[in-house]
Amino acid sequence: MFLNLISYALVVAASLYLLLFLMLIRQNVRMPVVRLYALVIELYALDSLALLYILNSGLAGKNMLAAKIHFSLAMLIPVGLYYFSTHFSYSRRLPQLTFRQFPVILLGIGLAALPLAWPAAEQLLFVKGNFLPLYSRLYWLVPLSHIGLGLFLYRKLQQRYRSARHITERNPLRTLLNRVFPLLAIAHLVVFIAPYFFPKWSFLYTGHLLIAVVLYYSAGRFLLLEETDKTQYMLPQFTVAAAFMLIFYASLPQAANLRIVLLSIPFLIACTYIGYYLLTVFHTAFRRSQKGYNEILDQRIEQFSREINTFLELEPLWQYLQRFCKETFDMEKIAVITLQYDVSPYQINYLEGFDKSVLSRLLKGNPAPVLEQLESRKEIVNKFDYAKSDPIFQTMDELDLYLGIPLVKKNDLIGMILLGGHRHYLPVPVRYLHLLKLMSSQIAIAVANIHSIERLVQAEKMAGVGMFSSQLAHDFRSFVALTKTHLSENPRLARHAAYIEKLVQDLMNYVRPQELKLTSVDINKLIDMSLDLVQVDPSVSIEKHYSTQLPEIPVDVHQM
């Protein structure tokens, strides 16, 4: 079973190499550096296949051939990395080889051909039913070439990092130095160097899996792989397929048959593509269904925009808004609150579904965090944007409140709409938030229009009251003048006549407001003057307890 899992790791690595290779050569990018990168990945893929053969073949002669291939590839891979790193460019043409680069590449190719003339392995070790190569002293060239090339590339990267002036140049180089290079160096040590010293440790070959992951990350990080739906979905699909295949390999009682191992690679890649295409089919179907739903939603919003401006009173407007939110957004609870800036800063104008007593206590007590957010930010407060431990989430969850929507007119908050229901953790869709933000501006305009209409209606009413008041004042003044003429000997009746005349004048001032005439008055005397106008029953006694230290206050005596 242990060898099964080692083979499985190499199967995953080889499949990942081939999958990345296919994505690179099939994409629209035609830069030469992408082809170079694909060539390096192909070398790694061949090496993983050679190691898979060694671990799963019982034929000694074929294993010796596979060991030679591994030796040659172990020498060619550093040459490919050297050529790729020295010719890395996003241009359409590769730079030409320099005089110093040409001998290095030629030497690497020559060393890779050595196993054809000399044996790569001195003998084969029979370990748990498999023939593992015991590499000859010639294999010392592999660690020497890897270490030498690693030091050379690291020094080159440091020089380029120090000479880079702009942050856009330094960031990719920093990623290479701090992430990619160390991981790749460790993986090469495990796969290509350590097996010479520990030939029985076949699990070291699983380091190819780390190399595959690093190469995949580098392809995305350095813009060698196009960012499309395929690249985003392919790796998760590959991971799912590999996880299911792990169950198959773990269930085998002994080392897997070579044919099964080699067939696992195209099977894993095929499962990945099938999963990807199934995912895209479902994704496309979901988008189409959403498209149909979005069209219905757009039609409802258009209808709302047409009908919102037809209301002449606030109560029918709030009732329509409640029905609309329930049918369109599945929010059955609504509260409309306005700001009045007097004894209580908030006033509930409309309520449906919410607990009035709980909401009233919230409005009358200390300012709740959700209300403070609405007043300060003047943006939609979404319960699901906050953590469960946040006071805003806890307050809104207690009220069954999803959203607090501000009503803003000329940058002034005139009120707010609270929408809610019984969902506790399912977020409100983002599209709903955009539409409700649009609706809030239309509602604020509709409220302002209704207030304007109410003011016009009130002005017309006052005009009618003014005409009636003028006729009434004429008749009362005639009566008061007649009273003063014939009953002037009765002082109390004269005071009441004066009081009626004052009422007539107040009525005229209400219809046609006059400027106030402020004079400093002793409030105690003003109370005595008012009490003289009151007819008190003899059985009722009036007690006066005045302070003598009150200052005079400026008032219009007649208005008081």
Side-chain angles (χ1 to χ4, degrees), residues 74-192:
M75 298 300 299
L76 276 178
I77 286 173
V79 176
L81 290 174
Y82 172 78
Y83 185 72
F84 173 78
S85 60
T86 54
H87 286 69
F88 187 89
S89 172
Y90 291 112
S91 63
R92 294 291 178 178
R93 297 183 60 183
L94 283 177
Q96 294 182 352
L97 284 171
T98 63
F99 181 74
R100 293 182 180 181
Q101 295 169 346
F102 186 76
V104 174
I105 294 175
L106 193 61
L107 177 62
I109 294 174
L111 292 176
L114 281 178
L116 300 178
W118 287 279
E122 294 179 349
Q123 60 181 352
L124 294 175
L125 299 175
F126 189 75
V127 180
K128 296 181 180 179
N130 295 92
F131 292 99
L132 301 179
L134 180 64
Y135 292 102
S136 63
R137 295 181 180 179
L138 189 65
Y139 196 84
W140 267 99
L141 294 172
V142 173
L144 288 176
S145 65
H146 281 251
I147 293 172
L149 178 65
L151 293 175
F152 171 79
L153 290 179
Y154 189 76
R155 189 169 65 88
K156 280 287 187 183
L157 288 172
Q158 280 191 325
Q159 290 176 353
R160 290 184 63 181
Y161 180 75
R162 290 173 186 148
S163 61
R165 297 181 178 180
H166 199 271
I167 190 172
T168 56
E169 299 178 23
R170 295 174 67 90
N171 284 342
L173 292 171
R174 186 187 296 114
T175 303
L176 276 173
L177 285 169
N178 298 339
R179 297 181 185 178
V180 177
F181 189 88
L183 288 176
L184 206 56
I186 293 172
H188 273 233
L189 173 66
V190 171
V191 174
F192 297 105

Side-chain angles (χ1 to χ4, degrees), residues 186-203:
I186 293 172
H188 273 233
L189 173 66
V190 171
V191 174
F192 297 105
I193 300 177
Y196 178 79
F197 301 99
F198 309 100
K200 296 182 180 181
W201 292 6
S202 55
F203 69 87

